[in-house]
Amino acid sequence: MAGFTRKHQDDAHRLSLDDHASAREALNRLHQTAQDCQTKVITSERPYFGDIAHAVAEALPGQWEVSIEHYPDGAIPADVLDWVWEAGPALSTQPAYRTPGAAFLRDGGGTELLLVERPRDGRYLIGALMPSPDHLHVVGAGPRTVSAATAREAAADVRSRLLPEFEQLMHLSRLREVQQDLDWVRGAEPGTVDAVELDAALDRFLTRAPYLLAATRRADIKPLDASETAVLIRFEALLARAPADTDTRSGSEADGMDEALAL
């Protein structure tokens, strides 16, 4: 009503200050509109929360998408916090405070972060969301929530601590699923393994293995010796031969899958 605009449906209304006369007129209209609606306009020197979210995202490695949710009643939905992997004392007490909005940062590869501002002291809290159970079942404590006074400090802590912890825990969860499947197949009596369940286990293996192999080749991990490297190369060759669609397996492809499962 006062002349503020927004670019996107979920964005906040903004006022450009490029034209001082127009900005002054809009602020006067805002003041009068507030009086007419019997409400208050409260100003703050703190930066807009959405700008903080974008500043954090721009300082993280890779490409991150930012989405902002606004909570007019000041209450962050319980189902949002339920998805935080390890809320800790910082985020677990957030419902006790008025929370006008939250930001979600997504890298497009399965990593999702929640960013909120704590009204009590103005600190920014960032926690990692659990992956969808359809994607990966995770257990145990998750990466620790980041608490920082500025966007720069928050991004630095996310880069140096939260994301590495998240990646390590994801690798452990993938490894646990693969190990459980392998133990199940090895321990089953011949001819008793259900074909559908076996295909599901094999699909999990084909999905998890590339991530585990890539982690093994990382430069910051202890280099492999010649025999370990040879096994790694064989694994990668078998994965490259594996068909993506289990319904198309036949002949030599099925033999290749059997070899991969045996390895």
Side-chain angles (χ1 to χ4, degrees):
M1 294 172 65
F4 287 62
T5 61
R6 59 184 180 182
K7 293 182 178 180
H8 306 289
Q9 186 65 27
D10 61 347
D11 196 10
H13 287 78
R14 298 171 180 264
L15 174 65
S16 173
L17 301 180
D18 294 339
D19 186 334
H20 291 181
S22 297
R24 187 177 297 108
E25 181 181 353
L27 289 173
N28 287 334
R29 286 199 302 270
L30 176 63
H31 176 71
Q32 184 60 51
T33 301
Q35 286 186 327
D36 295 342
C37 295
Q38 297 182 342
T39 186
K40 294 181 180 180
V41 175
I42 302 175
T43 61
S44 171
E45 295 182 354
R46 291 187 62 78
Y48 168 53
F49 176 73
D51 292 339
I52 294 296
H54 283 280
V56 171
E58 291 171 0
L60 299 181
Q63 298 294 322
W64 292 77
E65 174 189 339
V66 177
S67 61
I68 308 294
E69 286 190 359
H70 299 284
Y71 309 129
D73 60 355
I76 184 170
D79 59 350
V80 171
L81 291 179
D82 287 344
W83 277 103
V84 178
W85 195 343
E86 182 71 17
L91 272 174
S92 60
T93 59
Q94 190 67 18
Y97 304 99
R98 177 175 175 79
T99 306
F104 296 87
L105 285 62
R106 302 178 176 89
D107 70 348
T111 305
E112 299 186 49
L113 308 178
L114 171 69
L115 167 64
V116 298
E117 183 177 0
R118 188 166 59 191
R120 173 168 58 85
D121 53 11
R123 293 184 70 83
Y124 301 107
L125 309 177
I126 303 179
L129 301 185
M130 290 185 293
S132 167
D134 294 334
H135 175 67
L136 180 67
H137 288 276
V138 295
V139 296
R144 294 165 292 170
T145 296
V146 165
S147 173
T150 66
R152 182 177 180 180
E153 292 176 2
D157 286 346
V158 170
R159 287 196 310 268
S160 63
R161 180 167 59 80
L162 191 150
L163 289 181
E165 288 182 5
F166 180 85
E167 182 181 15
Q168 181 184 32
L169 291 169
M170 290 288 284
H171 287 325
L172 290 175
S173 295
R174 294 184 181 108
L175 186 60
R176 185 181 298 108
E177 284 194 355
V178 169
Q179 188 63 54
Q180 289 175 345
D181 286 335
L182 291 177
D183 290 343
W184 166 64
V185 172
R186 291 194 187 102
E189 292 292 333
T192 63
V193 177
D194 181 80
V196 174
E197 293 181 358
L198 182 60
D199 274 346
L202 194 51
D203 287 338
R204 282 192 293 271
F205 174 80
L206 294 175
T207 301
R208 311 294 184 243
Y211 291 99
L212 298 174
L213 294 177
T216 306
R217 285 195 176 278
R218 279 176 42 178
D220 57 343
I221 295 178
K222 179 182 177 181
L224 303 177
D225 60 30
S227 61
E228 292 170 330
T229 301
V231 172
L232 189 62
I233 292 174
R234 186 182 176 198
F235 253 118
E236 292 170 333
L238 290 171
L239 288 174
R241 290 165 46 193
D245 187 351
T246 57
D247 293 336
T248 63
R249 297 178 193 148
S250 62
S252 60
E253 289 180 340
D255 293 339
M257 299 306 291
D258 291 339
E259 185 181 0
L261 187 58
L263 180 59

